């Protein structure tokens, strides 16, 4: 099943809508079967476009679940798949009868094969690899069949592990040669064949070190797998069924629902530290600015938490515990105290008491920068998502934060605004409607339709305009959902110029998050989680859908994703494109000549050498992605790597680009820097990145044109008024 990193970057478009479910009786004592019954019931009655659960559906679930649990075909044998085949057209019947025999059979066999795989990789990595043998590995696993027997399976593992180790070995050889060159003041320029590696470099010892690195990586991976419980695999199975309906319908287990809420609100209650599981305990890898740990300065990065105790209670040893379970013990309500037994970086053991508090994830929120371009000043607002607190909308949300930043930028003298929605996967429907209203007087923003029902028009009814000056919106292929609503509305109103990829992601659907506990009477199984359900489609005010089509940029600028399959059309089971009647709206009647600004920008882009280099880089990245046959012979491998390195050298100048624009923080933020050096460093790094960003530079050029046209048209209108 195609389940890649793209969907991880997207958040849903959340609408406040009611999904009505009858009070069906759910009396299953088996929690897994109850969940299957519940989810199927909700899907059939609430999904925008319910699918028929038949033999075709069953076959798709069969293939997709096998692909999810064994995508590289390193566990199951052909004989396993043949044994599973009897279920291919039975899963639909199992769903109707709340039976999970197929899952149980696959899960039990997977656990057996994973235990065998642990022995295989240890055995393979106990022997040296011969990098003089001319052999290859195919890394497009979708084209491969399952291994016929255990001997063939072990050979696949051998090649995979050799491939993983080859890169480590090559890097270590390079480092050894560099150390020798440094000692002798020499410089080795050419690519050395295996037999040409200096005798002063111990190839055998280096190869052994490389295998140890791969062994440690595999040990950590299987430690993670060992931490997974049967319920975690069952959630994968449920989501295989759920995602047959569309890519954005998803079942959240209770822990995942909590993470989703944190992602949407940008805050949680806890101590404010990011942790990583280590054999010695939970290691602190980051301290979140503004949180309790940051304020107390009692812990530091590198400290390891060994035990967790609630105030007045016996501490619990968390060494070897699942990280998620350890985090549950550490987090807790605001104002409560947690006592941590910690091994400090210097090796001493201490017990540290921390009062939990609300921790805000600063990177989740809108941030702004001033731009100095000659004697003109502009403002940029970066919005990572359309965040909202589901429990209390009056708490911090994207619309109110952007309104504040607009006001601050106005006070700082900004003559134009850039709203950066690149990589913004969406969020709250209510916040995007309110945010769009900041830039227009009033009117419709988006149209929404439930299955078989009349459309609803979501409008801005507030006649106040927060920003009536020039506006540019930056998008890319990962701008999705709520980002597409805002970009589409501003484009339809001719209120802003859209700069970016040929089209945005193309997600034109609305989801509701429905807690499953509320559907079951007398639930005896604890928290049942929630289902994120596609219940509506949204449409532009001109009647078109952004589903699959996305929003087409007014000014198309290539980026590194230009030739990589990223959008909704590249996901499995997307809903189709359609259109409805347009809403009643009137285009923006400000003093901005968009067409001339767009024409000028396209002319600049066509002559820009940096843009041509970005286009070339995007094509090269696509070539690299499509390279599936890799040599495992050292000489061939390093030759190919050197060729790629030479190509990549050409694109290094992309990072060295200097737009000559000057970026700074607003006054309220600079005042925070005296107390928060981490925030200052983050902003300095961001400003440096912006100065290298040609898309921002072109956005500033467009703002300049819009500003000139604004003044020109205003003067003409005033002259016409006098003549009249």
């Amino acid at each position: 099943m195609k389940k890649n990193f793209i969907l991880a970057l997207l958040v849903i478009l959340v609408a406040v809508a009611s999904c009505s479910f009858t009070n069906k009786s759910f009396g299953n004592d088996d929690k897994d079967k109850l969940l299957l019954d519940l989810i199927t019931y909700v899907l059939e009655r609430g999904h925008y476009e319910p699918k028929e659960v038949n033999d075709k559906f069953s076959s798709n679930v069969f293939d997709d679940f096998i692909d999810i649990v064994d995508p590289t075909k390193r566990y199951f044998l052909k004989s396993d798949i043949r044994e599973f085949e009897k279920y291919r057209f039975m899963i639909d019947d199992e769903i109707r009868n709340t039976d999970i025999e197929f899952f149980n059979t696959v899960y039990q066999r997977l656990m057996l094969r994973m235990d065998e795989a642990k022995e295989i990789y240890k055995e393979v990595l106990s022997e040296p690899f011969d990098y003089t043998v001319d052999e290859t590995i195919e890394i497009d696993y979708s084209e491969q069949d399952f291994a016929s027997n255990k001997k063939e399976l072990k050979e696949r593992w051998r090649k995979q592990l050799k491939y993983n180790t080859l890169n480590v070995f090559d890097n270590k050889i390079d480092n050894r040669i560099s150390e020798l060159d440094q000692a002798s003041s020499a410089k080795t320029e050419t690519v050395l064949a295996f037999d040409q590696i200096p005798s002063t470099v111990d190839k055998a010892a280096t190869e052994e070190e490389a295998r140890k690195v791969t062994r440690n990586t595999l040990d950590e991976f299987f430690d993670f797998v060992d931490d997974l419980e049967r319920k975690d695999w069952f959630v994968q199975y449920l989501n295989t069924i759920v995602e047959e309906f569309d890519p954005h319908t998803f079942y959240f287990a209770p822990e995942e629902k909590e993470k989703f809420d944190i992602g949407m609100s940008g805050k949680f209650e806890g101590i404010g530290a990011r942790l990583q599981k280590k054999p010695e305990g939970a290691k602190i890898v980051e301290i979140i600015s503004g949180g309790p740990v940051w304020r107390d300065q009692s812990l530091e990065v590198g400290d390891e938490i060994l035990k967790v105790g609630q105030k007045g209670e016996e501490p619990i040893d968390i060494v070897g515990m699942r990280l998620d379970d350890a985090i549950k013990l550490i987090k807790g309500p605001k104002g409560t105290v947690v006592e941590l037994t910690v091994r400090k970086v210097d090796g001493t053991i201490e017990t540290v008491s921390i009062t939990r508090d609300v921790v805000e994830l600063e990177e989740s929120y809108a941030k702004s920068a001033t731009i100095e371009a000659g004697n003109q000043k502009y403002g940029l607002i970066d919005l990572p998502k359309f965040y909202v607190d589901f429990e209390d909308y009056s708490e911090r949300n994207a619309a109110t934060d952007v309104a504040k930043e607009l006001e601050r930028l106005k006070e700082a003298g900004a003559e134009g605004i850039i709203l950066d929605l690149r990589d913004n996967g969406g969020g709250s429907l209510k916040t995007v409607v309110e945010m769009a209203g900041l830039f227009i007087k009033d009117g419709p923003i988006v149209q929404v339709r439930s299955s078989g029902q009349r459309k609803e028009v979501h409008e801005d009814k507030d006649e106040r305009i927060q920003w009536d000056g020039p506006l540019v919106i930056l998008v890319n292929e990962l701008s999705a959902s709520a980002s597409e609503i805002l970009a589409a509305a501003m484009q339809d109103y001719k209120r802003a110029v859209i700069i970016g990829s040929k089209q945005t992601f193309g997600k034109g659907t609305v989801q509701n998050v429905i807690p499953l506990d509320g559907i079951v009477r007398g639930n005896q199984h604890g928290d049942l989680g929630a289902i994120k359900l596609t219940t509506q489609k949204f449409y532009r005010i001109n009647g078109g859908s952004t589903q699959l089509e996305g929003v087409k940029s007014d000014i198309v600028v290539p980026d590194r994703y230009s030739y990589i399959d990223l959008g909704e059309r590249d996901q499995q089971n997307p809903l189709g494109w359609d259109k409805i009647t347009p809403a009643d709206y009137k285009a923006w009647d400000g003093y901005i000549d968009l067409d001339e600004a767009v024409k000028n920008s396209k002319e600049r882009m066509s002559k820009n050498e940096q843009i041509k280099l970005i286009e070339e880089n995007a094509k090269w990245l696509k070539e690299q992605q499509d390279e599936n046959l890799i040599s495992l012979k050292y000489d061939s491998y390093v030759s190919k790597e050197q060729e790629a390195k030479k190509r990549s050298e050409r694109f290094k100048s992309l990072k060295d680009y200097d737009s000559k624009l000057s970026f700074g923080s607003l006054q309220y933020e600079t005042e925070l820097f005296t107390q928060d050096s981490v925030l200052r460093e983050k902003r300095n790094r961001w400003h440096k990145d912006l100065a290298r960003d040609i898309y921002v530079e072109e956005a500033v050029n467009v703002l300049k044109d819009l500003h000139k046209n604004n003044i020109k048209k205003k003067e003409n209108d005033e002259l016409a008024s006098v003549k009249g």
Side-chain angles (χ1 to χ4, degrees):
M1 188 174 193
K2 187 174 181 181
K3 181 69 177 173
N4 53 36
F5 81 100
I6 302 163
L7 294 181
L9 295 175
L10 299 180
V11 292
I12 69 170
L13 182 65
V14 186
V16 179
S18 62
C19 291
S20 177
F21 298 99
T22 57
N23 292 321
K24 175 185 171 181
S25 175
F26 296 93
N28 208 312
D29 291 333
D30 185 309
K31 185 176 180 180
D32 290 345
K33 293 181 178 181
L34 173 63
L35 281 172
L36 180 61
D37 195 13
L38 264 173
I39 288 168
T40 306
Y41 175 75
V42 172
L43 285 168
E44 288 174 348
R45 285 156 182 78
H47 194 273
Y48 180 84
E49 201 172 89
K51 283 197 173 182
E52 188 178 350
V53 179
N54 53 20
D55 283 354
K56 181 182 177 184
F57 185 95
S58 175
S59 183
N60 289 340
V61 171
F62 178 93
D63 289 331
D64 291 343
F65 186 57
I66 299 297
D67 189 43
I68 280 176
V69 298
D70 190 10
T72 59
K73 299 180 172 71
R74 293 289 177 270
Y75 302 118
F76 293 133
L77 299 170
K78 270 186 184 178
S79 57
D80 296 324
I81 304 302
R82 280 197 299 270
E83 188 177 330
F84 301 155
E85 276 290 335
K86 69 178 183 181
Y87 297 102
R88 178 174 288 279
F89 301 111
M90 291 172 56
I91 298 169
D92 55 323
D93 302 303
E94 288 194 356
I95 291 171
R96 277 189 288 273
N97 297 319
T98 58
D99 189 357
I100 53 174
E101 186 180 330
F102 168 66
F103 166 76
N104 285 333
T105 303
V106 173
Y107 169 75
Q108 288 163 9
R109 188 62 50 83
L110 179 66
M111 294 301 100
L112 172 66
R113 296 301 184 217
M114 280 189 160
D115 284 341
E116 292 172 352
K118 293 176 193 174
E119 299 307 314
I120 293 173
Y121 85 77
K122 290 171 185 174
E123 189 178 328
V124 169
L125 290 171
S126 67
E127 298 291 329
F129 291 120
D130 185 351
Y131 291 122
T132 64
V133 176
D134 193 2
E135 58 182 348
T136 59
I137 182 172
E138 170 65 58
I139 59 173
D140 183 0
Y141 306 107
S142 64
E143 297 299 312
Q144 297 178 15
D145 199 353
F146 287 90
S148 299
N149 50 54
K150 291 186 177 181
K151 182 179 178 182
E152 185 182 330
L153 184 65
K154 184 179 178 181
E155 175 62 9
R156 287 192 182 183
W157 271 100
R158 184 192 68 80
K159 282 192 172 185
Q160 185 68 49
L161 295 171
K162 185 177 181 181
Y163 172 50
N164 294 348
T165 308
L166 179 53
N167 183 55
V168 180
F169 176 73
D170 180 35
N171 287 335
K172 286 184 174 292
I173 291 292
D174 279 349
N175 291 338
R176 298 282 192 275
I177 293 172
S178 294
E179 288 166 6
L180 291 172
D181 285 349
Q182 211 168 20
S184 62
S185 300
K187 190 165 186 181
T188 306
E189 295 284 358
T190 56
V191 178
L192 299 177
F194 190 82
D195 293 336
Q196 295 173 325
I197 295 172
S199 57
T200 46
V201 175
D202 190 334
K203 289 186 281 190
T206 306
E207 189 276 338
E208 185 177 358
E209 287 176 25
R211 274 186 289 120
K212 282 182 181 176
V213 171
T214 302
R215 166 73 185 256
N216 289 339
T217 301
L218 267 291
D219 287 346
E220 287 183 4
F221 169 75
F222 278 100
D223 281 347
F224 166 76
V225 170
D226 287 343
D227 275 349
L228 295 176
E229 299 174 359
R230 182 187 177 280
K231 65 179 182 180
D232 299 311
W233 294 102
F234 186 65
V235 167
Q236 288 284 352
Y237 177 59
L238 289 175
N239 274 318
T240 308
I241 294 169
V242 165
E243 290 173 13
E244 293 299 326
F245 283 72
D246 79 284
H248 306 289
T249 292
F250 191 81
Y251 167 67
F252 290 117
E255 298 84 358
E256 293 305 312
K257 174 61 168 58
E258 184 183 354
K259 290 176 186 176
F260 170 77
D261 289 341
I262 291 169
M264 285 297 296
S265 67
K267 61 186 179 182
F268 64 93
E269 292 182 331
I271 66 169
R274 287 193 170 98
L275 307 176
Q276 180 181 40
K277 182 181 176 182
K278 289 291 181 182
E280 303 82 12
K283 184 177 180 180
I284 296 175
V285 293
E286 184 184 350
I287 292 170
I288 299 168
S289 293
V293 171
W294 177 84
R295 289 197 301 267
D296 292 356
Q297 297 185 348
S298 51
L299 299 175
E300 60 184 312
V301 171
D303 289 350
E304 292 169 344
I305 301 172
L306 310 177
K307 296 180 181 179
V308 180
Q310 313 310 317
K311 189 173 182 180
E313 296 181 13
E314 190 70 24
I316 296 172
D317 191 334
I318 65 166
V319 175
M321 185 182 288
R322 284 193 354 153
L323 185 60
D324 282 351
D325 293 336
I327 289 172
K328 283 181 191 174
L329 294 173
I330 295 168
K331 288 168 69 175
K334 174 182 176 180
T336 58
V337 176
V338 62
E339 295 178 342
L340 306 176
T341 304
V342 178
R343 181 186 289 113
K344 303 291 288 180
V345 174
D346 62 9
T348 59
I349 307 291
E350 292 182 16
T351 298
V352 178
S353 295
I354 299 173
T355 301
R356 301 175 177 110
D357 202 349
V358 174
V359 179
E360 292 191 337
L361 302 171
E362 175 266 331
E363 65 269 24
S364 300
Y365 297 135
K367 60 179 181 279
S368 64
T370 58
I371 308 171
E372 301 281 351
N375 59 357
Q376 293 173 302
K377 182 179 278 190
Y378 302 99
L380 181 144
I381 299 173
D382 179 273
L383 187 68
K385 65 181 72 170
F386 289 80
Y387 47 88
V388 68
D389 186 336
F390 288 132
E391 301 298 322
D392 186 356
Y393 189 82
S394 64
E395 283 286 323
R396 190 171 189 180
N397 67 70
T400 54
D401 278 2
V402 168
K404 287 176 186 174
E405 295 305 313
L406 284 171
E407 203 57 39
R408 288 163 174 161
L409 288 167
K410 272 180 10 184
E411 290 173 4
E415 301 171 53
I417 296 293
I418 300 165
L419 183 58
D420 193 348
L421 300 180
R422 290 176 296 179
D423 299 336
N424 183 322
S428 161
L429 177 59
K430 185 175 180 180
T431 60
V432 71
V433 172
E434 288 191 5
M435 194 180 299
L438 301 173
F439 304 106
I440 63 169
K441 184 180 178 184
D442 55 17
I445 304 301
V446 64
Q447 305 185 92
V448 176
R449 186 173 70 176
S450 301
S451 182
Q453 296 184 21
R454 297 178 65 183
K455 69 179 185 181
E456 300 172 47
V457 180
H458 292 253
E459 299 185 31
D460 167 46
K461 296 178 180 178
D462 186 346
E463 294 190 356
R464 291 174 298 175
I465 304 175
Q466 195 85 10
W467 177 259
D468 62 358
L471 177 65
V472 168
I473 296 178
L474 293 178
V475 297
N476 65 3
E477 293 87 348
L478 293 175
S479 302
S481 201
S483 292
E484 294 173 290
I485 288 177
L486 183 58
M490 295 301 99
Q491 192 175 60
D492 289 345
Y493 274 109
K494 297 190 180 298
R495 176 64 186 90
V497 174
I498 313 299
I499 299 179
S501 50
K502 289 179 184 176
Q503 70 162 74
T504 52
F505 190 85
K507 178 183 176 294
T509 55
V510 183
Q511 284 73 36
N512 287 115
V513 177
I514 302 166
L516 296 179
D517 291 355
I519 304 175
V520 183
R521 294 175 178 175
N523 172 30
Q524 302 295 316
H525 296 285
D527 193 345
L528 296 172
I531 185 166
K532 172 165 69 77
L533 186 69
T534 297
T535 56
Q536 298 170 310
K537 288 175 82 172
F538 66 80
Y539 300 83
R540 302 172 67 133
I541 54 176
N542 70 7
S545 171
T546 61
Q547 180 65 12
L548 304 181
E549 297 286 321
V551 177
K552 307 276 193 300
S553 295
D554 299 311
I555 300 164
V556 175
V557 186
D559 62 21
R560 62 190 290 111
Y561 303 131
S562 292
Y563 296 96
I564 295 174
D565 299 334
L566 288 178
E568 180 86 353
R569 64 178 72 244
D570 301 304
Q571 308 307 309
Q572 278 198 331
N573 310 313
L575 300 188
W577 181 91
D578 62 343
K579 62 181 179 179
I580 60 175
T581 56
D584 184 16
Y585 69 100
K586 183 182 178 183
W588 174 253
D589 61 355
Y591 306 114
I592 299 173
D593 187 344
L594 290 177
D595 293 337
E596 185 178 340
V598 169
K599 177 174 168 288
N600 291 343
S601 179
K602 287 179 177 177
E603 288 177 3
R604 281 191 298 268
M605 293 292 95
S606 66
K607 298 171 185 173
N608 192 305
E609 292 301 318
Q610 186 79 350
I611 292 295
K612 292 176 184 176
L613 191 59
I614 291 170
E615 175 90 8
E616 186 182 334
N617 184 38
K619 289 178 179 176
W620 179 67
L621 288 173
K622 175 63 174 171
E623 288 174 21
Q624 294 292 102
Q625 188 188 59
D626 292 343
E627 188 72 53
N628 293 320
L629 193 65
I630 310 294
S631 175
L632 297 178
K633 184 179 181 182
Y634 180 81
D635 294 357
S636 302
Y637 178 82
V638 294
S639 177
K640 191 81 175 175
E641 286 293 296
Q642 185 65 16
E643 182 186 326
K645 192 175 180 181
K646 283 180 181 176
R647 290 281 305 273
S648 66
E649 285 289 329
R650 174 168 167 70
F651 305 121
K652 276 192 175 176
S653 62
L654 292 173
K655 294 182 180 179
D656 301 328
Y657 185 73
D658 184 3
S659 66
K660 308 299 183 187
L661 297 171
S662 177
F663 296 84
S665 290
L666 291 164
Q667 184 179 345
Y668 85 95
E669 202 168 59
T670 57
E671 291 171 357
L672 295 174
F673 293 163
T674 57
Q675 298 176 321
D676 193 342
S677 60
V678 174
L679 179 63
R680 181 177 61 228
E681 176 58 31
K682 283 181 179 178
R683 290 297 182 264
N684 288 341
R685 200 178 307 138
W686 180 47
H687 295 159
K688 286 177 183 176
D689 288 341
L690 289 174
R692 292 192 289 260
D693 194 329
I694 194 168
Y695 311 99
V696 172
E697 180 188 34
E698 183 52 29
V700 169
N701 289 332
V702 171
L703 286 176
K704 288 178 181 177
D705 286 345
L706 293 176
H707 183 63
K708 288 175 188 173
N709 292 331
N710 188 346
I711 295 170
K712 192 188 306 178
K713 192 161 186 181
K714 187 175 181 180
E715 288 173 349
N716 290 340
D717 287 351
E718 287 174 352
L719 183 61
S721 177
V722 171
K723 286 181 178 178

